[in-house]
Amino acid sequence: MEPIIPAPDPTDALSSVPAAGAGRGLTPTGRLRFFFGPMDCGKSTLALQIDHNQARQGRRGLLLVRHDRSGTPTISSRMGLARNALEVHEDMDLCALVREHWARGSRVDYVIVDEAQFLSAEQVDQLAELADDAHLEVYCFGLATDFRSCLFPGSQRLFELADELNAIQVEVLCWCGRPGRFNARVHDGDVVRAGDTVLVADTAATDLVEVRYQVLCRTHYRTGDLGPATVDAHQLSLT
């Protein structure tokens, strides 16, 4: 009597355990990481801290930025920290940029990109290629959604490709005290919901600024309620 051979379990291919040492000899790869959150949650500060920590260990980094609020090619924090960076232009090939640094004899151990939401999908693909093929550590920092509460194209591609997705843990509050997630665009005191996706402005409410941004909770983003009048860029009037 022939032995009965059980039918193959279709889940075996999904649950197999690699043999001991199966990963040995594989070329190590870099990682593409995306750190995201609303305005004022400390994205640029964290980018500068990571650069500082890497540089202390003798590593050489390439700092990139797209449309920094300062209007200059720098990674700048509202806490006053800043580092010079290279401005990423719309048609810039990031893989070619790294190869140019190598050709000049410059080391590139890691790449930091601030305001990464403004990258094109193709440029995010290039960052993934640098992580996979050049084994670079790539750190991206940016907003997830625009003033219409829609994903930026660059952020969407990062959500699709990144090895790690990290929501910044510094909580940003709406004026009502609830967590703020939405970056409202304010024009002459009113929340606007149409216009160019890219419009660089700051958060300060002054007589000289016609357009600014304010972080709101979902309820007050929906209703367009900006809360009490601001005394300055940091304090709210309680009277």
Side-chain angles (χ1 to χ4, degrees), residues 39-154:
M39 299 180 307
D40 289 335
C41 71
K43 297 183 296 297
S44 298
T45 303
L46 180 58
L48 294 172
Q49 181 67 58
I50 288 176
D51 176 56
H52 172 74
N53 290 350
Q54 294 269 352
R56 285 191 64 187
Q57 302 305 320
R59 294 167 63 81
R60 300 289 298 274
L62 185 60
L63 274 60
L64 308 175
V65 69
R66 178 85 166 127
H67 294 313
D68 185 73
R69 75 181 73 82
S70 67
T72 60
T74 60
I75 296 177
S76 62
S77 164
R78 292 187 177 91
M79 296 178 66
L81 305 174
R83 281 289 310 274
N84 291 332
L86 293 176
E87 177 75 21
V88 177
H89 303 294
E90 185 175 357
D91 57 352
M92 181 179 286
D93 185 324
L94 302 183
C95 291
L97 177 66
V98 171
R99 286 196 295 268
E100 289 172 7
H101 278 71
W102 287 339
R104 295 199 299 265
S106 299
R107 278 176 48 198
V108 178
D109 299 311
Y110 61 94
V111 177
I112 291 177
V113 187
D114 200 18
E115 307 294 352
Q117 71 271 10
F118 295 132
L119 297 177
S120 67
E122 291 75 16
Q123 288 169 329
V124 174
D125 288 344
Q126 293 160 12
L127 293 175
E129 182 178 340
L130 288 172
D132 291 343
D133 296 348
H135 317 310
L136 298 183
E137 296 292 337
V138 182
Y139 303 88
C140 294
F141 302 82
L143 303 171
T145 58
D146 62 18
F147 72 104
R148 302 166 302 168
S149 73
C150 299
L151 284 171
F152 282 97

Side-chain angles (χ1 to χ4, degrees), residues 34-41 43 115-119 141-159 165-168 179-185 192-193 195-199 213-218 221-222:
F34 184 34
F35 298 82
F36 62 94
M39 299 180 307
D40 289 335
C41 71
K43 297 183 296 297
E115 307 294 352
Q117 71 271 10
F118 295 132
L119 297 177
F141 302 82
L143 303 171
T145 58
D146 62 18
F147 72 104
R148 302 166 302 168
S149 73
C150 299
L151 284 171
F152 282 97
S155 300
Q156 177 177 332
R157 193 62 177 147
L158 281 164
F159 276 116
L165 298 171
N166 301 278
I168 303 292
R181 290 181 46 231
F182 297 88
N183 305 297
R185 182 182 292 175
V192 295
R193 306 182 188 278
D196 294 335
T197 300
V198 180
L199 179 61
Y213 290 93
Q214 182 173 336
V215 178
L216 298 173
C217 66
R218 185 175 61 214
Y221 173 80
R222 287 192 302 103

Side-chain angles (χ1 to χ4, degrees), residues 176-232:
C176 67
R178 284 182 288 190
R181 290 181 46 231
F182 297 88
N183 305 297
R185 182 182 292 175
V186 181
H187 183 269
D188 289 338
D190 295 317
V191 174
V192 295
R193 306 182 188 278
D196 294 335
T197 300
V198 180
L199 179 61
V200 179
D202 214 325
T203 58
T206 72
D207 294 336
L208 301 177
V209 178
E210 294 183 354
V211 180
R212 63 183 179 88
Y213 290 93
Q214 182 173 336
V215 178
L216 298 173
C217 66
R218 185 175 61 214
T219 298
H220 292 123
Y221 173 80
R222 287 192 302 103
T223 61
D225 188 348
L226 299 175
T230 56
V231 176
D232 57 34

